[in-house]
Amino acid sequence: MTSDILPGHPHFAYRGNALFGEDVRLGELAQTYGTPLFVYSKAAMLSALAAYQRGLAGRDAKICYAMKANSSLGVLQVFAQAGCGFDIVSGGELARVLAAGGEAQKIIFSGVGKTRAEMRQALAAGIGCFNVESEAELEVLSSVASAMALRAPVSIRVNPNIDPKTHPYISTGLKGNKFGVAHEDALRIYQRAASLKGLQVIGIDCHIGSQITDTAPYLDAMDRVLDLVATIEAAGMPLAHLDFGGGLGIDYKHDTPPAADVLWRLLLAKLDARGYGKRKLMIEPGRSLVGNAGVCLTEVLYLKPGEQKNFCIIDAAMNDLPRPALYQAFHAIVPVTLPEQEVPDAAKTRYDVVGPVCESGDWIGHDRALRVAAGDYLAVLSAGAYCMSMASNYNSRGRAAEILVDRNQFHIIRQRESIADQMRGEILIDASHA
Ligand SMILES: *Cc1c(COP(=O)(O)O)cnc(C)c1O
């Protein structure tokens, strides 16, 4: 029996001709539960987490899973049970963490557009920290907390003006984008925060982007943040914790991001050298904890050969896997069952792999060499992050089901969305008034 591990996916492998997630045969899951179907490996999530834990071992550090990457309750439960905190960006995410058994005290609330209602909800729950992204938000948060006779714990997200050289839509630490406060304004805004009655300043935060595959932007950002920490503390405002955000990339297509423990060894060496090694640390990884812990199984519906292009039409679409349409992102696509004999590339056909949605942007992979027939199952890889959490009902397609694999067991963590689920809450106008 061969065991051929998929690149970047240590817990997904071919045994013989069949693709497995841990010890579960994926073709059987597709057959039984239908497609499109997301399958996640618990061991893959925990081993991604373990790399951060190793890197931060012996430090006073808190890992807050940035749950927008994948906010399904069954996924949150894995991280809550592993002791993680959570980085949230909405009141909905707060409710999900609490429903999945996460602790309010370990929650940090990021995002540029928190509403007063969300602030009240988070204060009432007793979250650990608000990562405030503008001066205007500081004023509002202070007044909301004061009205509740509370002081909101805050850190301010500073913008280190570092280019992480990723896609412009996922780069967040540059001057021209909407996140954080400018480096030059940080001291003045900290002074303002310290003067507001409803706030308790406890930290500083930065997050420079996503799918970062190099250590240099992190090291540069850390230097910029530590410069600010020195300035802010010299002005009499102690910062109990330093939050360095998330953003570490994963291997989608021969990407070679540093391992989390390797990255943190370098960052901790810098922290130690600058005298901040004993400080309480927080990080907010999202994609790197879940991205390569999931695949999306899909069935080939039709092959449509053409003069210029061949299309492989699958039953997963941009509403399930939005990253290609949004950012021209790459997902590897592999067969769930390998042919009996190895097929040379010359015997494969090149296809654009597309979904059924009525948009030309609805493609999942361009120019892929495949040997497939209608009815075959394919696995779209690296589908654990920013897929299901971004899924929509566009074209009135129900959202996919999700399964969490744990060794030879599996758990359905989300049922396929029914048409009734989709229409729930919609109201026809009474005919007598129409
Ligand atoms: C999205 C986000 C993260 C996580 O980013 P990843 O690239 O998924 O690790 C962390 N912090 C903040 C503030 C975010 O917006």
Side-chain angles (χ1 to χ4, degrees), residues 66 68-69 87 110 157 207 209-211 245-248 284-287 386:
K68 72 178 190 287
D87 176 57
S110 301
R157 176 168 173 181
H207 170 73
S210 202
Q211 186 53 20
L248 185 58
E284 308 162 353
R287 186 192 312 273
Y386 302 108

Side-chain angles (χ1 to χ4, degrees), residues 170-183:
I170 51 178
S171 150
T172 60
L174 277 167
K175 264 190 180 171
N177 69 50
K178 69 179 178 180
F179 300 102
V181 306
H183 191 92

